[in-house]
Amino acid sequence: MDGVIIDSEPIHVKLEKEIIEEAGGDYAKLKPEDFMGTTDVQMWSTIKEQFGLKLSVEELINICRERFIQTIPQIPLVDNVLDFMAALRNNGYKLGLASSNNERAVETVRNQFGLDQYIEVFVNGEAVSKGKPDPEIFLTAAKLLGLQPEDCLVIEDSRNGVLAAKAAGMRCIGFQNKNSGRQDLSKADLIVTSFKNLTIEDIKNLLNEPL
């Protein structure tokens, strides 16, 4: 979702910097791109331990969630993503969203942008025990869609997400979002910089389907 459907990574970075510095940590010592694609618990547990923050992981998560949800109305969609999803649906593809973000954030984005008309299955980071780069979230989404992993194609903007997709045995398109940091997407089967450059023929080729 983040960085692929909504262009939210700059907001995440801004909020995380504010919260870490308010809590007594030094944001400059972190690489925010390392946390993209991971769950809230994974990220804030690491940050709390690194800086010895007094706030609990749960408190840090709740502060960040509340601030993020308040900003969702200001976050833009990624260019051309709705047109691309509509084209996929019109060509008979099933769509699922597998986001490491929490349930409330996913539901807020789902309702804000009317994603139900494109996406059948929504899986959030709280529905799985292991975050990306573990493949659990993608395997869960595939099961809910009634599909085998080898019949699935993932679009990801983060290194952790690409690794999770490949670990799940799925094809993967790396979406190079300039706002997602310098992510290593080299393990992806195809890398694109815009949904304008991605066609149904590309999807069919990656899934070895007849054109």
Side-chain angles (χ1 to χ4, degrees):
M1 181 178 78
D2 294 281
V4 174
I5 293 177
I6 56 171
D7 208 0
S8 53
E9 296 301 356
I11 292 289
H12 281 297
V13 170
K14 177 178 179 290
L15 294 179
E16 288 154 16
K17 182 177 188 292
E18 288 175 358
I19 294 164
I20 289 166
E21 292 181 350
E22 286 170 13
D26 184 357
Y27 185 81
K29 293 182 178 178
L30 293 175
K31 289 183 178 180
E33 59 269 22
D34 290 347
F35 297 112
M36 289 179 184
T38 62
T39 64
D40 292 341
V41 172
Q42 284 176 303
M43 181 182 75
W44 287 107
S45 296
T46 302
I47 291 170
K48 175 178 169 59
E49 183 177 349
Q50 181 170 343
F51 297 120
L53 304 182
K54 291 181 180 179
L55 289 173
S56 68
V57 171
E58 185 177 359
E59 287 172 320
L60 290 164
I61 288 172
N62 287 337
I63 292 167
C64 193
R65 285 182 183 178
E66 286 302 321
R67 294 188 189 180
F68 178 72
I69 286 166
Q70 288 170 14
T71 68
I72 285 175
Q74 306 161 32
I75 298 173
L77 287 162
V78 169
D79 288 346
N80 300 107
V81 68
L82 295 186
D83 289 341
F84 178 69
M85 289 196 293
L88 289 173
R89 286 305 300 264
N90 290 338
N91 280 271
Y93 290 99
K94 293 182 175 183
L95 274 68
L97 183 149
S99 173
S100 297
N101 215 321
N102 64 84
E103 181 179 10
R104 192 168 158 216
V106 170
E107 287 302 302
T108 303
V109 171
R110 175 182 184 171
N111 295 329
Q112 172 87 16
F113 297 107
L115 297 184
D116 279 311
Q117 60 185 303
Y118 309 99
I119 297 170
E120 295 178 40
V121 164
F122 293 79
V123 184
N124 63 76
E126 293 173 290
V128 296
S129 58
K130 297 177 183 177
K132 304 167 189 175
D134 189 275
E136 182 185 2
I137 196 164
F138 290 133
L139 294 172
T140 300
K143 186 175 182 180
L144 291 170
L145 285 166
L147 298 170
Q148 295 300 312
E150 61 268 25
D151 296 324
C152 295
L153 171 66
V154 174
I155 301 178
E156 262 289 352
D157 72 317
S158 73
R159 175 180 179 272
N160 287 325
V162 171
L163 293 176
K166 300 311 292 181
M170 300 177 180
R171 309 301 201 303
C172 183
I173 293 173
F175 181 72
Q176 214 162 45
N177 187 327
K178 65 182 185 297
N179 291 324
S180 297
R182 300 184 67 176
Q183 296 287 318
D184 178 7
L185 306 177
S186 59
K187 300 292 185 185
D189 299 287
L190 174 69
I191 297 175
V192 299
T193 58
S194 169
F195 283 109
K196 281 185 178 178
N197 303 331
L198 194 54
T199 66
I200 296 300
E201 286 70 28
D202 292 326
I203 304 299
K204 289 181 179 292
N205 283 327
L206 287 169
L207 291 170
N208 294 319
E209 296 176 344
L211 297 176

